[in-house]
Amino acid sequence: TATQRVFRRFFLLEPSQGIRQEHVAMAFLEMVSDPQWGFPQQLYRDNGSEFFILDMIRSALNELQEPNVRTIINARPYSAASK
């Protein structure tokens, strides 16, 4: 809600499959490569395990941010309104 924008990437999966970490990584790389978006200063993410891959970029985000500012913000657990 901070930017009022959403970057989307659609994946066609088999009926028994769900979004995996590699899908999240691919979508993130596409977003930061897009000249309309670029590299974010902060990320607000869901608590699902598929989003844990974003922890790998935490140090890169910290380099772009002021000291003591959270770079990856997790949604409140079990709160649909916070997603």
Side-chain angles (χ1 to χ4, degrees), residues 42-61:
Q42 290 182 315
L43 285 174
Y44 186 83
R45 70 172 182 187
D46 186 78
N47 290 307
S49 62
E50 63 272 16
F51 294 102
F52 291 163
I53 191 131
L54 297 174
D55 286 331
M56 297 176 74
I57 62 159
R58 188 181 301 270
S59 61
L61 285 171

Side-chain angles (χ1 to χ4, degrees), residues 3-52:
T3 62
Q4 302 295 311
R5 300 184 326 159
V6 174
F7 185 86
R8 298 182 292 214
R9 172 68 164 92
F10 295 98
F11 294 94
L12 294 175
L13 305 173
E14 296 296 322
S16 63
Q17 291 184 333
I19 294 294
R20 297 185 309 268
Q21 288 187 3
E22 58 264 26
H23 297 130
V24 173
M26 286 172 43
F28 181 79
L29 289 173
E30 286 182 27
M31 180 187 75
V32 300
S33 300
D34 189 317
Q36 298 274 331
W37 289 82
F39 206 83
Q41 291 180 347
Q42 290 182 315
L43 285 174
Y44 186 83
R45 70 172 182 187
D46 186 78
N47 290 307
S49 62
E50 63 272 16
F51 294 102
F52 291 163

